[in-house]
Amino acid sequence: MGHFVRHLILLLSVLALAAGASAATPPGDSAPAPAPALSSPVYVLTGGGYGHGVGLSQFGALAQANAGRSYRDILDFYYPGTTIATSPRSRVRVLLGAGLTTVTIGSSVPFAVRDATGARTPLPAGELTLAPDLALTIDGQPTVLPGPLAFLPGKGGPLTLGGNGYRGELRVSVVDGALQVIDAVGLDAYLFGVVPGEMPKEWPAAALQAQAVAARSYALANLVKNRPFDLYSDQRSQVYRGVAAESPSTTAAVKATRGEILTFDGKVATTLYSASSGGRTAASADVFGVPFAYLRTRDDPWDAESPYHRWPPRTYTSAALAKAFGLPSPVVDVEIVPTPSGRPASVTLVTRAGTRTLLKAADVRARLRLRSTAFRIGVLRITRPSGPVAPGAPVTVSGIARDVDGAVLEKLGATGAWLPTAKVAPAEDGAFQVTVRPTATATYRLTASGLPGPALTLTISDGAS
């Protein structure tokens, strides 16, 4: 409640300032002392990481591999409590396309097609184009085969779809008058086309092996239900690019971990992963609303090697922040409710007009084009002292330095350089006070994370008393 009251008092003060509000002084009453003027706030955005931050940090896996840790060490760190087990299945069905008017299937070697009756028809090397009537040219004659059709690879070469190679069988069926193509492929052969798209093939073997086990487990834990296929070939499952994506190093990682998955309490673990945790993994409950005991928040020192571990900080003015979120009035305060992981659960923008806009962290990430939701929006504000200032007299400069790092009050020197004057030690709510003794008119500013914030000029009056 105290936190809410502090924000309410600050908001009312700003509203009064913006509106130029004043109350008439009743006859016989003395005029109230002028209220201190509040500077426009400057917002400091800091953060780190890339992606949702749940589970394995890929750059953290890289650091651990470089330190000589095995892929099992890496998996134990990011998925604590899980157990290595053997996959209960060896094949998956991956949706490659749907709603298609035509498809082109081919092979560099002779191949075959099997129709719905089980009859198998040999086909010469080359390409053929199918329409929803499923008509093929066989021995020079147009022939309609009963669907669905399964195209079978020949010896020495995978099938192609639209020129892209895929291992396994390509199954073509007609759904709602259009063509649907599914790749029925071995689980590990599927991973041959997944792992190199998720992690650079040049990375150490232990990192690639950890990625292979995580990708294999994630696929089996998230099989599509009530459809004629098990997985999508895009981000709805994992990006699957087929033969074109394969590389010797990632294929070797899949083979080295053949059939291995992670389980927890006898079930395949949902092994989420992302590029960089920003130094602390997020709990699945905080990001996706689904709690998993092995996907909890924890410090991740291994992520320090990530180029996304810490972002360059940036600042926003009240007007710039309002513009970014399409608000008609400048933002006078930002309130963040954190999750147990330390990431924002929600962000509330308070405007000069008194409106309050509640946002999800994902919405803020999208609007500000951030790489993850591991961010903070700090507030810098200075309260301008009222009344004249005598030379050398103590002056209290107060304000807000909330959710920022390294707040410092600086003074503009005679050479034009800003000189540190005092470190700012804000209270829990961000409030601070610093005493200065200017002997001549001086300009001060508040900084944090090395970035400039609001400034004020203290005018010295020789006749001040």
Side-chain angles (χ1 to χ4, degrees):
M1 178 61 72
H3 183 69
F4 171 77
V5 170
R6 286 192 294 270
H7 283 301
L8 181 60
I9 293 173
L10 176 61
L11 175 59
L12 292 175
S13 300
V14 175
L15 291 176
L17 174 66
S22 61
T25 304
D29 286 359
S30 59
L38 298 173
S39 68
S40 294
V42 170
Y43 300 98
V44 181
L45 187 142
T46 55
Y50 202 141
H52 52 66
V54 180
L56 181 142
S57 160
Q58 292 169 317
F59 277 101
L62 170 63
Q64 294 194 48
N66 284 335
R69 289 168 64 86
S70 71
Y71 77 94
R72 293 197 174 195
D73 294 330
I74 297 169
L75 295 171
D76 284 344
F77 180 84
Y78 287 111
Y79 309 111
T82 58
T83 302
I84 292 280
T86 301
S87 168
R89 63 190 298 167
S90 60
R91 294 181 67 81
V92 289
R93 299 166 300 169
V94 187
L95 178 67
L96 299 182
L100 306 173
T101 55
T102 61
V103 297
T104 301
I105 293 175
S107 172
S108 60
V109 298
F111 61 119
V113 60
R114 185 179 62 239
D115 62 31
T117 69
R120 179 176 176 137
T121 302
L123 298 170
E127 290 188 330
L128 56 87
T129 299
L130 277 177
D133 61 5
L134 300 182
L136 298 175
T137 300
I138 300 175
D139 296 330
Q141 297 296 322
T143 304
V144 176
L145 299 178
L149 305 181
F151 290 87
L152 314 174
K155 293 182 179 180
L159 298 174
T160 61
L161 175 66
N164 298 319
Y166 293 95
R167 300 185 184 277
E169 300 178 2
L170 294 182
R171 299 176 179 175
V172 181
S173 57
V174 179
V175 178
D176 296 330
L179 296 173
Q180 180 181 82
V181 185
I182 294 170
D183 186 10
V185 62
L187 175 59
D188 281 1
Y190 160 74
L191 293 175
F192 294 163
V194 169
V195 174
E198 297 292 349
M199 183 173 281
K201 62 182 183 296
E202 299 82 9
W203 282 15
L208 296 175
Q209 290 162 8
Q211 179 66 64
V213 176
R216 187 183 291 114
S217 304
Y218 184 84
L220 296 188
N222 293 275
L223 297 175
V224 178
K225 298 179 180 179
N226 303 319
R227 296 290 182 92
F229 54 89
D230 304 309
L231 299 165
Y232 293 97
S233 58
D234 56 27
Q235 293 89 343
R236 287 172 290 181
S237 296
Q238 295 174 106
V239 177
Y240 171 53
R241 296 191 174 96
V243 174
E246 295 178 10
S247 86
S249 60
T250 52
T251 295
V254 174
K255 290 181 176 179
T257 61
R258 185 180 300 278
E260 290 186 353
I261 58 171
L262 292 180
T263 62
F264 187 86
D265 282 348
K267 297 181 180 179
V268 183
T270 299
T271 46
L272 289 158
Y273 54 88
S274 61
S276 176
S277 68
R280 186 173 181 81
T281 63
S284 61
D286 293 341
V287 177
F288 300 107
V290 182
F292 291 105
Y294 51 89
L295 294 176
R296 56 181 182 265
T297 182
R298 68 173 302 174
D299 289 333
D300 182 11
W302 298 105
D303 188 76
E305 293 190 18
S306 166
Y308 310 107
H309 182 66
R310 288 288 179 270
W311 309 329
R314 60 175 108 158
T315 58
Y316 294 86
T317 64
S318 296
L321 201 59
K323 181 179 179 181
F325 290 95
L327 302 176
S329 179
V331 175
V332 296
D333 201 13
V334 174
E335 302 169 3
I336 292 180
V337 177
T339 66
S341 307
R343 298 177 179 227
S346 65
V347 177
T348 299
L349 303 178
V350 184
T351 70
R352 183 178 295 173
T355 63
R356 298 174 64 87
T357 302
L358 178 65
L359 300 165
K360 295 180 179 178
D363 297 332
V364 177
R365 177 187 177 185
R367 284 279 189 168
L368 300 184
R369 299 181 181 180
L370 307 179
R371 292 189 173 98
S372 80
T373 58
F375 64 84
R376 289 188 303 170
I377 302 178
V379 182
L380 294 177
R381 187 192 299 275
I382 291 181
T383 303
R384 304 175 186 274
S386 59
V389 177
V395 179
T396 299
V397 177
S398 60
I400 298 292
R402 187 194 321 134
D403 293 333
V404 295
D405 298 318
V408 175
L409 187 69
E410 297 180 336
K411 179 181 178 181
L412 183 61
T415 64
W418 289 94
L419 306 174
T421 298
K423 289 185 177 181
V424 173
E428 184 178 352
D429 62 353
F432 73 90
Q433 289 187 339
V434 173
T435 300
V436 297
R437 295 175 179 270
T439 58
T441 296
T443 299
Y444 297 88
R445 75 176 182 185
L446 190 59
T447 68
S449 298
L451 299 177
L456 66 84
T457 297
L458 297 180
T459 303
I460 303 303
S461 173
D462 291 338
S465 59

